[in-house]
Amino acid sequence: MTLLTDLAAALGPAHVLTGSDLARYTGDWTTHYTANPVAVVRPADTEQVSQVMKIAARHGVPVVPVSGRTGLVGGAMTDGGLMLSVERLNRIREIRPNTRIAIVEAGVVLDRLHEAAEAQNLYFPLWFGARGSAMIGGVLSTNAGGSNVLRYGSTRALCLGIEVVLADGRILNLMSQLHKDNSGYDLKQLFIGAEGTLGVITAAVMKLVPRPRAYATATLAARSLPDALILLNRLQEATGGAVEAFEYMPDTYMRRLAEARPDIRQPFTPRQAVNILVEVGATAPRDATPDGDGNIPITDLLETTLAAMMEDGMVLDAEVARTEAQRRAMWQRRELAAEITVARQPAIDTDICLPVDQVATFLDRIHARLPDLDTGAETLSVAHLGDGNIHFTVFGSNNSAELYDTVVEAVEDEVQALGGSFSAEHGVGLSKLPSMKRRKDPVALDVMRAVKAALDPDNRMNPGKVIPDEER
């Protein structure tokens, strides 16, 4: 029996894709990577995933799990391996309003979970631009972040339990609904962020939170990044930690936005150096119920805080959203970041994280260093400032591999010196393997290799990703 024959017998021929049917699986969103799978299989449930894994093990074929294919680091690429798409594992099994959990399968698109939670007056607080195509399995596998990490944490913090199919086909049931469980190792954390190198996530128990009754949203110009952090801290104190997003868009970002999308209104004239999008979410009726004049308390609080900082000279200008349309327009400016970045090439894209009080220092240092590396280089930054995550892009004067490596290593130097990480929320995949080899603690890499060898001794689960080859 051949591999394809065995797979067709287990799943049905319609769900074993080959030839021209592979076209939509062979590229990624960045267009930087091209896959060449032997086939794409689309199992319908966990048991079928288990069958696929057993068949692949019998034939000695690598398996690469794929979901929404919105990744940016080449984590779902293969040359000759078997792609396992979770797109048919797309059931929201249950929403439990009283315990505020959702039991979902790996192929559920993020937006569908948002809609299902909102129907119960709840919220799944993982929010980023690719939410219309990204799937639960993918966001768990990369430990995705987004704009709301400041208040709710990354995907890891939102997951109570998972179900995983191991390389040999065994089903590992970790579908806990518990908030406390000290019965040994927290195994689910091994698989979250592992990018499919240890097993295939097939389902999960995710936390829900109360849906905000009102949002207070503003775009402001701060005198400096340190002043912006003072504003963040004041708002956190005033609102009891209800700041949901605190996004930084410098003047270079706004200029690039104006070039790429002249149809999008700019917030300030003249253009300001430090632009911040801030959003506060109110769940308590006292903060969200309009008064007799139609004023919303949480919006009044935001305005009062901004006004005080304008008097101090730390906030230079501000506009507060008065309607949902105005709020969406503010968010559109921020969520166009990926579009306006990839539209210009060649681009050297980094996804880094720093202590929040070191973001300004990093930017000063790397901009001072960059002219010595490439006199014609330009930069574009956008940041989840509240959690220190910067998407720092360099548009180099040429497309050479040498310049790419030189710039990335310079970024790594400055990040490491300031106690940061070269990888924040996009995962490692293929693109950050050199960084892992250069910067990850060698003992940590040894431990990762030991875990990988224990769970996947034949190195068939998404091989060549996350963990660099060991030097011999």
Side-chain angles (χ1 to χ4, degrees), residues 131-154:
R131 59 189 175 273
S133 50
M135 297 176 184
I136 292 298
V139 301
L140 284 164
S141 292
T142 58
N143 187 30
S147 298
N148 290 1
V149 170
L150 173 62
R151 185 173 187 181
Y152 301 106
S154 59

Side-chain angles (χ1 to χ4, degrees), residues 49-359:
V49 174
S50 174
Q51 292 179 51
V52 168
M53 298 308 298
K54 291 175 182 177
I55 292 168
R58 192 161 65 244
H59 289 274
V61 177
V63 177
V64 177
V66 296
S67 49
R69 304 187 309 282
T70 57
L72 300 173
V73 294
M77 296 296 105
T78 182
D79 185 10
L82 179 67
M83 278 187 167
L84 189 157
S85 171
V86 298
E87 62 196 271
R88 294 177 67 213
L89 281 74
N90 57 13
R91 292 185 303 142
I92 297 176
R93 295 179 183 171
E94 194 173 0
I95 300 286
R96 294 188 183 173
N98 289 339
T99 53
R100 293 177 179 167
I101 62 171
I103 304 173
V104 297
E105 295 181 349
V108 171
V109 173
L110 194 53
D111 253 357
R112 276 196 61 219
L113 181 52
H114 287 153
E115 293 167 359
E118 287 172 8
Q120 301 291 336
N121 205 32
L122 295 169
Y123 178 41
F124 180 62
L126 184 65
W127 192 267
F128 50 80
R131 59 189 175 273
S133 50
M135 297 176 184
I136 292 298
V139 301
L140 284 164
S141 292
T142 58
N143 187 30
S147 298
N148 290 1
V149 170
L150 173 62
R151 185 173 187 181
Y152 301 106
S154 59
T155 306
R156 190 184 298 279
L158 298 173
C159 181
L160 290 174
I162 58 173
E163 177 185 78
V164 182
V165 178
L166 300 178
D168 60 8
R170 288 181 296 164
I171 299 170
L172 179 60
N173 185 348
L174 303 172
M175 292 287 280
S176 173
Q177 299 172 25
L178 302 177
H179 291 264
K180 292 181 178 180
D181 183 358
N182 280 330
S183 57
Y185 301 146
D186 190 353
L187 295 178
K188 75 173 184 294
Q189 299 295 359
L190 286 177
F191 299 94
I192 299 173
E195 300 181 42
T197 61
L198 301 178
V200 183
I201 296 174
T202 52
V205 182
M206 307 303 294
K207 299 177 187 177
L208 304 176
V209 299
R211 183 182 181 186
R213 297 170 182 265
Y215 289 106
T217 309
T219 300
L220 62 103
R223 184 174 58 186
S224 67
L225 282 176
D227 288 344
L229 289 179
I230 292 173
L231 169 63
L232 173 59
N233 291 334
R234 288 185 183 179
L235 282 173
Q236 292 286 48
E237 292 171 5
T239 64
V243 180
E244 301 218 340
F246 203 75
E247 303 291 296
Y248 168 51
M249 297 166 287
D251 52 348
T252 52
Y253 178 87
M254 289 300 183
R255 183 168 64 250
R256 175 64 187 147
L257 178 63
E259 292 169 354
R261 292 294 301 271
D263 56 308
I264 302 297
R265 186 182 69 83
Q266 292 280 307
F268 306 117
T269 304
R271 193 173 290 125
Q272 298 290 329
V274 179
N275 303 277
I276 303 291
L277 169 62
V278 58
E279 183 159 273
V280 183
T283 57
R286 66 176 182 274
D287 296 325
T289 304
D291 63 19
D293 296 323
N295 299 314
I296 299 174
I298 194 66
T299 303
D300 289 345
L301 178 58
L302 176 59
E303 286 186 319
T304 300
T305 306
L306 290 174
M309 292 195 67
M310 290 181 78
E311 289 183 6
D312 294 339
M314 289 186 283
V315 171
L316 307 178
D317 203 349
E319 59 176 25
V320 178
R322 298 294 178 185
T323 66
E324 179 62 20
Q326 290 174 351
R327 172 179 176 254
R328 290 184 180 275
M330 291 183 182
W331 272 107
Q332 185 184 27
R333 292 187 196 117
R334 172 61 183 84
E335 292 184 340
L336 283 169
E339 176 185 318
I340 68 174
T341 300
V342 301
R344 180 176 175 181
Q345 296 294 327
I348 304 169
D349 186 42
T350 67
D351 163 44
I352 59 179
C353 195
L354 292 146
V356 293
D357 62 347
Q358 297 298 324
V359 170

Side-chain angles (χ1 to χ4, degrees), residues 366-382:
I366 196 64
H367 281 117
R369 187 171 177 178
L370 193 59
D372 292 334
L373 308 179
D374 183 5
T375 56
E378 298 180 23
T379 68
L380 180 71
S381 301
V382 65

Side-chain angles (χ1 to χ4, degrees), residues 1-16 41-56 58-59 82 84 88:
M1 299 287 283
T2 68
L3 169 69
L4 297 182
T5 301
D6 286 353
L7 291 170
L11 307 183
H15 300 297
V16 181
V41 292
R42 305 189 307 157
D45 53 34
T46 302
E47 182 55 42
Q48 285 195 352
V49 174
S50 174
Q51 292 179 51
V52 168
M53 298 308 298
K54 291 175 182 177
I55 292 168
R58 192 161 65 244
H59 289 274
L82 179 67
L84 189 157
R88 294 177 67 213

Side-chain angles (χ1 to χ4, degrees), residues 380-447:
L380 180 71
S381 301
V382 65
H384 308 298
L385 186 60
D387 59 51
N389 179 191
I390 314 172
H391 302 295
F392 179 73
T393 302
V394 176
F395 299 113
S397 59
N398 64 71
N399 197 27
S400 70
E402 181 181 3
L403 178 60
Y404 181 96
D405 291 341
T406 299
V407 170
V408 170
E409 287 197 53
V411 170
E412 292 171 5
D413 286 343
E414 302 303 337
V415 167
Q416 189 170 47
L418 295 169
S421 171
F422 59 82
S423 184
E425 64 178 2
H426 293 163
V428 174
L430 291 171
S431 70
K432 297 178 190 172
L433 282 176
S435 299
M436 287 286 283
K437 181 176 288 189
R438 288 189 294 260
R439 307 293 175 171
K440 194 69 177 178
D441 177 72
V443 177
L445 287 176
D446 285 345
V447 173

